[in-house]
Each structure stands twice: as structure tokens, then as C-alpha cells.
Amino acid sequence: MCALPKLRPTRRDLLKQTGALSALAAVSPLAAAGSAEAQAAHSAPSHAVTFQPGTLQDNLFTKLGVRPIINAHGTFTIITGSRSLPEVKQAMYEASNYYVHLDELMPKVGAEIAKLVGAEHAVVTTGCEAAIALATVACSCGTDPELSQAFPYKRKKSQVIIPKHSRNPYDFGVRMTGAEIVEVDSAEELQAKLTDQVAMIYILSGPAAEKGPLSIPSICAMAKTKNVPVFVDAAAEEPLVPNIHLQHGATLVGYSGGKCLRGPQAAGMLIGQTDLVKAAWFQASPHHNYGRAYKVGKEEIMGLLAAVRQWYKRDHDAEQKAWKSWLDQIADKIKGLPSVRIEYLQPEDLSNRSPRLRVHWDANQVKITGTELFKRLDEGTPRIMLDGGTGVRPDKMESSFTIMPYMLEAWEIPIIADAIYEAMTKPGHYENPVIPAGAAQVDGKWAVSLKYTRGTAEQTFDLQQNGSDLKGKQVGAIYQADLTGSIHGNDLKLHARMPVSGHEVIWDFTGTVQGNSASGTVALGEYGMAEWKAVRA
């Protein structure tokens, strides 16, 4: 006789339109009991918890004052990635009810994932960025406990080569290990820098890595002659079988679990050569090595396994057709409006492989720009986030927005179509911005003080002025950038894209000028806001 609770989730419970768990009793599963006394001792609690998906207007997020999003933008981490599959939710719920030994669980899960994806071995990680970091340490230390415990202060191999075309914000996964980044821009340069100090080569998969002398196959061939492992970052890609990167000679490949797989957002997988994949697990939590912070729980492990299983059962052609039909519904709703032009964008590679809809129009006729429409939908109820909007008053009235259907559900399409139609047919009134007359003189060198949420910094501006137009240099403590901007009356605006290691920081300064002093705020995109003051030298 089994002492498992009677109210177990069924497939019908899980496959509701919202994809959320339906009501079920949340009680801990129990091993079979051998006596009536044991069964009584392990009876389910009377205060069983139930799971309810809620609604867009009333759910656990709205109770906190957080507004949920209808996601027509994409699988971006900042908006919580993908919508996990019902099978993933079920696996995570079921896993949460048991204790297991992780060093017993991961080899079993890894073996099954490896078989499904066509690799030697696999482990589940806390996202693809963790896979990058763990791969770097595995290639540096292996499973030597002395090297592992001395890391990152002592190491036999201290460098990671990254082709210039592969520098990106996510190679922070390499940089956070303290490895020295060696950037190369030609096959000859790569060959010369393949020394005994190189632990690994990192490549970001994409169109730039598919051709030329620094393509993935070419790099792998050169690396093989020196026995240097190659890691391919395929975070947002579809895990095709046979795996194209392993076929090209890659040693390791990393994937996100929270994108096309529709698994747990805080999960990913590292696949490839057995000894290095096992070394990555050795370096990860629960082991007391470099990756102790990269803790992947039983829920994420089993949820990711469920997602990989489902990937090879899903009808991907049917998904593509459904996404296109949803875009058609939205296009049909608005294509007859004045000046509206419809464009379909097709994916360039295996990443984010879905058609997108781009709508173009003249805001002089429709009376709303793409940026205004984007803002209106984002602030509306329900909240809808598009994949970008363009058009600025008064001189850039050619407008557009884009819709990515990747993570939408069919019931959300009429909501999006109606909201866009209403915004374009009842736009309300938007005034052109008031531009002050004249232009204060701001050319010259300025000493700039920045106040962040925590910390301060000093920079300099060197500005050249031509009427209201500005250009110049922003020089920070470490990096520098070109400035562009304007001065209208005393109102100052400056913009810079500051190149940093594998990335760039966006600076949008706004403020006012009073003689030889100025002050205001600067928007730093994902890095928030800061205050600034400046004095002309």
C-alpha cells in the first residue's frame, strides 16, 4: 500500500491554457509504510496548500505591486526569460517533495541529457553564464583538489583566447574567474598565441563564427593540434541532433535552460567531453570549490531534464506555423491603417528561431510614434512589452515596432492586437517637445563628479560646440568614449557608448548649465541612474 497523497497532479491539470499548475494538494510524498501505525504517523497535514495560477489582474506579483507582462519582447533575463512548459512545472513540483543525493542524481540526469542531445556527457548548471565559468575553471584545474583550492590565486594555465568577433557581455563568465583574456583577430594571431598558458578558447556562436579563418571549425582544428579545449556559447540556440558544434570539433557547448527549451529560468546545461564536463560538476556546488555559489537545486535539475525530454517531442514546425499565424492576426488588424507597412523578419541562425513582425508607419499621419506606442502599451493594463519601438518627435516621425511571438500564448494575441489598434486609431494628443532658443557656450574641458547609489567617481568631458551641436570625449578613470549631444538654451544632453571589456556602457547625460558649472542626472541603462556635477576647467 502506497502512502503517497491521493491528489497527485494529472496531465489534464497541468495543460491548462495558462500553462500554470492547477489546484492540487501540496503534501510531501512518503515512502511506502509497512504498518498502520507508520501510515498514521505519516498522514497528510490537514492544512494542505493549493496552487492557483491567478489572473493578470490578481496574482502573487500584483499583490506585491509588481505588474506582470504580456511578453512580445523575447526571452530576456531581465523580464524572466521564457514561459516554462507544463511538464517542467510538474517535474519541479514533484522534485521538491523528495530528498536525494546530488552526487547520485547529477550523473544519472547528465547521462540521459547527453543521450538525448548526442554528447558524451552533460551536467545541469545555473544558466549558461555558470556553464561558461565552470568550463573555464574545469579547463584550468581539472579535478585536482590542490589546484582547485588554490584557485584563483595559483593556476597552471592562466589565459583564455577569445576571437574578436566573439567578445560580448556574457564572456564575463570567463573574466569572473580571473583568467587573462587574449583577443585574436586572425588565424595567424591565434596560432601564435596558442601557448601552454592557454586553458581554453571561448567562442560565441552566431553568423560571425560560421565563416572565415576564425570560424568554429577552423578554430577547433587549430586548437586540436595543441590539445586546447574549445567552448562554444550557444545559450539561445536550439540543441539540434547531431550537435553542429560538437560535429565541428568543439570540446564543450553551453545552453540556457530558460530560452527555447522553456525550462527553468535559473538553469542551463553544459555538454561535451566527459572528463571536462565531470570536472565542471566537480568545481560546482555542492562541492567546496570555485563554483560553490553556482548552486543548482533538485527542482532545476529535474525541470531542465523535463525540458530537454520535451524538446525532442515538440512539433517545432507546428510551433513556427502557429507563431506566424499569430503575427498574421495582429497584422490583419492594423494593415489597413494610414501609411502602415508590414514586414516579416526571419531568424538568421539557431538563436531565438522565430519569425517576427515589424510594423512601419508615418507618425505624422497616425499621430503616435513607435516610442510613444511602446510606452503606452508598457504602461497600460494589461501591461504589454513589445520588442522595441522607434520614432521621435518632431524630426524622426518614421516609426516602427516589432513583435516577437516566441513566448506568447494564443489567448494573448487578440489582447495585443486590440491594444495596438486602439493606440493607433485613438492615439490621444502628443505635443512636440519645447526646445529652448539659443545655446549656452559649453565648449572646453569640464571636470565631472559622479555620485552613484554606492560610490563616487571623477571623469572629464572635452567638448567642441557648433551652434547647438556637441561632440567630444568622455574620459573615465579606466575607459573613455566619444560624446555626442546638444545644448538648447541651458538644457544639456550628452550621449556616449563606452567600450569596456567585451561590452559597452551607455551614458545618457541630461542637465542644465549655469555659466561654468553644470549638473543633472545620467541614465546608465541596466546600471541604473546617477547624479553628476561638472565645473569647466
Side-chain angles (χ1 to χ4, degrees), residues 322-374:
W323 295 333
K324 174 61 165 56
S325 73
W326 296 349
L327 297 178
D328 289 341
Q329 292 176 47
I330 297 170
D332 289 343
K333 183 83 173 182
I334 59 175
K335 66 184 180 183
L337 298 179
S339 75
V340 165
R341 178 170 59 88
I342 301 299
E343 178 186 11
Y344 289 95
L345 306 177
Q346 298 301 327
E348 295 182 358
D349 55 22
L350 293 174
S351 291
N352 302 305
R353 198 173 71 85
S354 167
R356 290 179 293 155
L357 173 69
R358 182 163 292 165
V359 179
H360 302 263
W361 73 95
D362 180 1
N364 288 306
Q365 296 189 52
V366 181
K367 308 303 181 185
I368 188 171
T369 67
T371 52
E372 290 161 350
L373 188 146
F374 181 96

Side-chain angles (χ1 to χ4, degrees), residues 107-426:
K108 298 290 187 182
V109 169
E112 183 173 343
I113 289 176
K115 185 176 181 180
L116 289 167
V117 303
E120 288 183 14
H121 199 54
V123 293
V124 180
T125 63
T126 48
C128 191
E129 190 79 334
I132 298 169
L134 292 172
T136 304
V137 183
C139 292
S140 301
C141 301
T143 57
D144 183 326
E146 288 188 85
L147 284 177
S148 301
Q149 291 300 306
F151 190 87
Y153 305 110
K154 294 182 180 179
R155 57 180 92 200
K156 287 184 178 178
K157 296 179 181 291
S158 60
Q159 296 178 340
V160 172
I161 292 176
I162 304 181
K164 190 173 182 180
H165 64 59
S166 286
R167 294 308 311 272
N168 70 89
Y170 306 103
D171 65 34
F172 225 126
V174 174
R175 288 182 276 143
M176 70 173 66
T177 70
E180 177 191 352
I181 302 299
V182 178
E183 198 171 293
V184 297
D185 201 22
S186 68
E188 293 75 19
E189 195 175 7
L190 173 59
Q191 193 69 54
K193 293 184 177 180
L194 274 171
T195 69
D196 292 340
Q197 282 299 302
V198 177
M200 185 180 86
I201 300 174
Y202 166 96
I203 309 172
L204 177 67
S205 180
E210 293 174 2
K211 57 189 177 182
L214 288 181
S215 67
I216 293 174
S218 297
I219 291 173
C220 290
M222 283 186 277
K224 188 174 182 180
T225 64
K226 299 287 188 176
N227 199 30
V228 174
V230 176
F231 174 95
V232 174
D233 181 347
E237 287 189 357
E238 297 182 340
L240 300 184
V241 174
N243 187 279
I244 59 172
H245 304 305
L246 296 179
Q247 279 193 318
H248 287 156
T251 320
L252 298 165
V253 186
Y255 291 93
S256 170
K259 298 191 186 297
C260 66
L261 285 173
R262 293 183 61 184
Q265 173 62 4
M269 62 180 177
L270 178 65
I271 69 171
Q273 187 172 303
T274 300
D275 60 338
L276 283 173
V277 174
K278 287 184 175 181
W281 174 241
F282 175 87
Q283 295 296 340
S285 179
H287 313 114
H288 296 89
N289 290 319
Y290 170 85
R292 185 64 176 84
Y294 305 143
K295 184 181 291 186
V296 58
K298 59 194 175 188
E299 294 84 2
E300 286 76 25
I301 293 171
M302 298 310 295
L304 195 279
L305 175 59
V308 176
R309 285 170 173 168
Q310 287 304 121
W311 176 261
Y312 299 103
K313 297 177 183 178
R314 287 160 57 184
D315 188 337
H316 299 292
D317 288 339
E319 288 177 342
Q320 294 285 335
K321 290 175 182 176
W323 295 333
K324 174 61 165 56
S325 73
W326 296 349
L327 297 178
D328 289 341
Q329 292 176 47
I330 297 170
D332 289 343
K333 183 83 173 182
I334 59 175
K335 66 184 180 183
L337 298 179
S339 75
V340 165
R341 178 170 59 88
I342 301 299
E343 178 186 11
Y344 289 95
L345 306 177
Q346 298 301 327
E348 295 182 358
D349 55 22
L350 293 174
S351 291
N352 302 305
R353 198 173 71 85
S354 167
R356 290 179 293 155
L357 173 69
R358 182 163 292 165
V359 179
H360 302 263
W361 73 95
D362 180 1
N364 288 306
Q365 296 189 52
V366 181
K367 308 303 181 185
I368 188 171
T369 67
T371 52
E372 290 161 350
L373 188 146
F374 181 96
K375 186 173 184 289
R376 173 167 165 165
L377 266 59
D378 185 50
E379 293 176 349
T381 302
R383 182 182 187 183
I384 300 169
M385 187 171 290
L386 304 179
D387 188 21
T390 67
V392 180
R393 295 179 187 275
D395 55 345
K396 297 178 181 178
M397 299 295 277
E398 282 298 319
S399 297
S400 71
F401 65 77
T402 305
I403 291 177
M404 170 57 126
Y406 210 30
M407 289 299 134
L408 291 171
E409 296 282 358
W411 63 269
E412 294 170 311
I413 303 306
I415 296 174
I416 296 171
D418 290 346
I420 292 171
Y421 182 81
E422 182 172 354
M424 298 183 80
T425 56
K426 300 176 183 178

Side-chain angles (χ1 to χ4, degrees), residues 451-463:
K451 182 181 179 182
Y452 301 111
T453 302
R454 170 70 178 175
T456 59
E458 301 297 323
Q459 296 185 354
T460 59
F461 294 164
D462 190 352
L463 300 178

Side-chain angles (χ1 to χ4, degrees), residues 425-447:
T425 56
K426 300 176 183 178
H429 182 69
Y430 294 90
E431 291 282 353
N432 289 334
V434 176
I435 299 176
Q441 289 299 308
V442 295
D443 54 334
K445 291 189 176 182
W446 295 74

